[in-house]
Amino acid sequence: MATRSPLIAALALAMSFAAPAIAQSTNAETEVVRGVAFYETFRIGDMQLIPAAISRDTRCGDPRVSFCLNDGRFDVSFVALSEPRGRSPGFRREVVLSLGKPTRIQGGTLTLIDVGAEPALRGARPLEDYALAIAFEPDERR
């Protein structure tokens, strides 16, 4: 028996109250959605995504530092939802996207391409400061 993450369940419920963002096609194959806020539901490809949390932000925040011991990663946890279609069973799961690193998901590849905010010098930056950009490249149709 599969267990559901409380985060996925809570955000799936919240999804029904949020207005979806509009996807922009960059070419016939890749879709890009820009300016996505945390907890905002948006559609890309055949799925809906909800950015739920910053999982990791180890970017250097002080521009005066020429050497940084951090690994420079920025990871965001998303809830991904897809309805069943044809032979595809659909899904509801958590997906973690790392800035600039393509991640395979059913139907294609997602990439977090921009976060819209520099790292904070001290402490955490409010989630409202972020404007995420996500790209989706669908699998080739044969």
Side-chain angles (χ1 to χ4, degrees):
M1 182 172 152
T3 60
R4 274 194 194 158
S5 164
L7 175 64
I8 290 174
L11 287 173
L13 177 63
M15 179 188 78
S16 62
F17 299 106
I22 298 174
Q24 303 169 348
S25 292
T26 56
N27 59 42
E29 299 164 358
T30 303
E31 276 184 77
V32 176
V33 177
R34 297 184 185 281
V36 177
F38 277 88
Y39 310 115
E40 175 184 2
T41 301
F42 66 97
R43 180 169 287 285
I44 193 164
D46 288 336
M47 71 188 101
Q48 292 183 327
L49 292 173
I50 307 165
I54 297 171
S55 304
R56 177 185 309 195
D57 186 359
T58 57
R59 302 172 296 159
C60 288
D62 191 342
R64 299 171 295 171
V65 176
S66 60
F67 177 73
C68 185
L69 296 174
N70 296 330
D71 61 3
R73 287 184 59 179
F74 189 91
D75 299 344
V76 177
S77 294
F78 288 83
V79 175
L81 304 156
S82 173
E83 296 296 323
R85 279 198 171 157
R87 292 186 170 168
S88 172
F91 58 85
R92 178 180 297 197
R93 66 173 163 244
E94 182 178 1
V95 176
V96 177
L97 299 181
S98 296
L99 183 61
K101 297 186 187 222
T103 301
R104 287 279 309 135
I105 190 166
Q106 180 176 320
T109 303
L110 287 169
T111 307
L112 178 62
I113 57 175
D114 190 20
V115 297
E118 295 297 319
L121 292 177
R122 288 185 174 76
R125 183 174 291 286
L127 291 179
E128 295 82 26
D129 289 357
Y130 294 93
L132 307 175
I134 299 93
F136 177 71
E137 185 174 344
D139 290 336
E140 291 184 31
R141 307 278 186 226
R142 296 179 189 219

